[in-house]
Amino acid sequence: MAQSPPAEGYGRRVQSDVYRNGAIGRAPIIPVSPARLAAAATRKMSRRAAAYVVGSAGMETTARDNRVAFGRWKIVPRMLRDVATRDLSIELLGRRLPTPFLLSPIGVLELVHPLADVAVAQAARDLAVPMMVSNQASLPMERIATEIGDGQHWFQLYWSSNDDLVASLVSRAEAAGATAIVVTLDTHMLGWRPRDLDEAYLPFARGQGIAQYTSDPVFLDLVRKRAAAKSGGKRPAPTPAALATLASMSREYPGRLLDNLRSPLPRAAVETFLDVFSRSSLTWRDLAFLRDHTDLPIVLKGIQHPDDARSALDHGVDAVMVSNHGGRQIDGAIGALDALPAVTRAVDGRVPVLFDSGVRGGADAFKALALGASAVGVGRPWVYGLTLAGAQGAAAVMRNLVAELDLTMGLAGYTSVSEISSEALQAV
């Protein structure tokens, strides 16, 4: 497994290792082609898991436009430059990172691999790529942080309707060693996702992906109060589907399965989560509450309009992240890369501009960096790697992305990330 920071000639070495292993009959552990990787992973997933992971909002035009946006920019290679030594490292939020990549947050990873977030943490640790720990993780943030060890991780926050819960989650993230809080702004309600709706399937309603909540003292107090208030109430006659859901809730809730099957707490936990998950009344003024509760850098994820970027600066955030949630929230929204240049101009270098949505290869990362991104988040590709080969698969995906970026930089005539600018691109 590749170690970090990438040494000189990283891309060529990764490439050479693949060819040398092929000469003795060893194929890559996962497909290198992004299309083959996605197809292989989707075949391995359950129908419901594939709907949740692969699906996007509405007719999925935004997800497609994320990819189309990359096609509107072409790399213009420069020749006869000394590119024998290349430096992929960046400075971000006061820390030096060996590459400009980040692992964007994705929840409910138990749908695709039994080790879920632990396996991703292992990959992040081994490659020194910061992991944004999902608010909807399958395991508590403390367990994930233990696996990351000395590696860097950030905590993604979905702002709950209960401010005490928000404060508790942020406090726990600080105590677990998170180095930034990433507030996801674009999911204060779920987008219209036909693949999930056709399955009538929401993992959270079955107790999956809510481990950050069921490990939180504030949330558990809300659950106990809810269960007590509803004790003695009449329950509907059970159906096979309802019994399966109860079993799922009971497996996911802390404690012994048999005890949970008899307890009202697992059901109350799901009902409480569905009540407090999000807050659509959130405004710019509420950011002061978060700043009062943490000294960590605050990143706003989901920025797509330059005026919102300016407002973020006015409210003292430490970075913004251009993202449309991989096309999962609004059908027909602007492609994320199409939004990046205007946001970059609005920020004008005052804070880092991060980027995700639609990245599938190292050349995509090169284009995002050229258009002003300080770092590039990756989502679905490493989930596909996780699906196929656990921690090794997730690490292999990121290793391939880093290798391709390294080679793309060299072939285009650039020796460091800091050199890459819009002059490397041509609009078509």
Side-chain angles (χ1 to χ4, degrees):
M1 187 174 294
Q3 295 298 311
S4 186
E8 197 172 308
Y10 181 83
R12 289 181 64 183
R13 283 205 312 279
V14 169
Q15 188 182 64
S16 295
D17 286 346
V18 172
Y19 290 139
R20 286 173 179 168
N21 285 331
I24 58 174
R26 295 178 184 169
I29 63 170
I30 60 165
V32 176
S33 157
R36 289 185 59 217
L37 172 68
T42 303
R43 285 195 300 270
K44 187 173 181 180
M45 294 178 194
S46 70
R47 190 179 66 230
R48 286 176 168 176
Y52 184 80
V53 173
V54 180
S56 293
M59 293 184 291
E60 303 187 347
T61 59
T62 304
R64 289 192 292 275
D65 284 346
N66 281 339
R67 294 299 308 144
V68 171
F70 281 99
R72 280 193 268 270
W73 295 95
K74 303 300 181 183
I75 299 169
V76 183
R78 301 298 303 276
M79 299 298 141
L80 293 176
R81 295 180 172 186
D82 182 356
V83 293
T85 301
R86 297 174 297 282
D87 179 12
L88 273 64
S89 67
I90 63 168
E91 188 81 21
L92 184 61
L93 299 179
R95 295 170 182 265
R96 197 73 187 171
L97 300 176
T99 81
F101 285 105
L102 309 166
L103 296 180
S104 291
I106 295 183
V108 207
L109 293 176
E110 65 202 90
L111 292 176
V112 302
H113 195 275
L115 292 182
D117 308 88
V118 163
V120 182
Q122 292 167 355
R125 178 196 65 212
D126 291 343
L127 294 175
V129 175
M131 175 184 181
M132 299 185 202
V133 174
S134 174
N135 204 145
Q136 303 311 127
S138 298
L139 296 161
M141 64 182 84
E142 293 84 359
R143 174 69 183 90
I144 300 168
T146 297
E147 202 66 39
I148 293 174
D150 293 334
Q152 187 179 166
H153 74 278
W154 302 356
F155 178 67
Q156 177 214 25
L157 175 70
Y158 283 128
W159 200 301
S160 169
S161 61
N162 185 300
D163 279 347
D164 288 340
L165 177 56
V166 171
S168 182
L169 289 168
V170 169
S171 175
R172 288 173 57 203
E174 282 192 341
T179 56
I181 302 295
V182 182
V183 186
T184 295
L185 302 175
D186 57 14
T187 316
H188 53 86
M189 60 183 77
L190 289 180
W192 185 256
R193 302 175 186 173
R195 296 200 203 197
D196 291 336
L197 291 164
D198 282 341
E199 297 290 334
Y201 177 71
L202 182 68
F204 316 122
R206 290 163 169 78
Q208 298 172 301
I210 63 172
Q212 307 295 18
Y213 299 83
T214 56
S215 57
D216 192 273
V218 171
F219 182 81
L220 290 177
D221 187 52
L222 295 173
V223 170
R224 287 189 288 268
K225 290 177 180 177
R226 187 186 195 102
K230 296 186 71 173
S231 63
K234 185 177 180 180
R235 293 186 179 182
T239 64
L243 291 173
T245 296
L246 177 61
S248 176
M249 293 175 180
S250 300
R251 281 193 301 271
E252 300 294 336
Y253 196 78
R256 294 177 66 247
L257 174 60
L258 289 178
D259 292 339
N260 289 341
L261 287 169
R262 302 186 186 99
S263 170
L265 294 177
R267 186 191 303 272
V270 168
E271 293 170 348
T272 302
F273 166 79
L274 295 174
D275 280 350
V276 306
F277 162 65
S278 62
R279 177 179 162 187
S280 291
S281 63
L282 200 68
T283 70
W284 292 103
R285 292 189 301 272
D286 293 301
L287 292 176
F289 174 88
L290 185 58
R291 180 53 75 198
D292 287 342
H293 284 82
T294 184
D295 294 324
L296 293 177
I298 296 173
V299 181
L300 297 188
K301 183 176 184 288
I303 299 296
Q304 297 165 70
H305 194 287
D307 286 348
D308 287 342
R310 295 184 187 99
S311 293
L313 293 173
D314 291 341
H315 288 82
V317 305
D318 300 283
V320 298
M321 190 162 193
V322 175
S323 170
N324 59 28
H325 217 91
R328 291 168 62 77
Q329 284 300 96
I330 301 177
D331 190 35
I334 185 173
L337 196 74
D338 288 334
L340 180 59
V343 170
T344 299
R345 289 193 295 271
V347 169
D348 194 25
R350 285 172 284 180
V351 300
V353 176
L354 316 179
F355 174 84
D356 80 5
S357 297
V359 175
R360 296 295 180 266
D364 293 340
F366 182 95
K367 292 179 182 181
L369 294 166
L371 292 174
S374 301
V376 178
V378 180
R380 285 185 178 100
W382 63 255
V383 179
Y384 298 149
L386 174 70
T387 303
L388 294 171
Q392 284 188 311
V397 166
M398 297 309 301
R399 177 197 65 199
N400 292 343
L401 284 164
V402 174
E404 186 185 357
L405 173 61
D406 179 46
L407 291 172
T408 301
M409 284 174 52
L411 290 167
Y414 295 87
T415 60
S416 69
V417 171
S418 62
E419 289 180 355
I420 305 171
S421 72
S422 59
E423 293 182 356
L425 303 180
Q426 178 177 297
V428 296

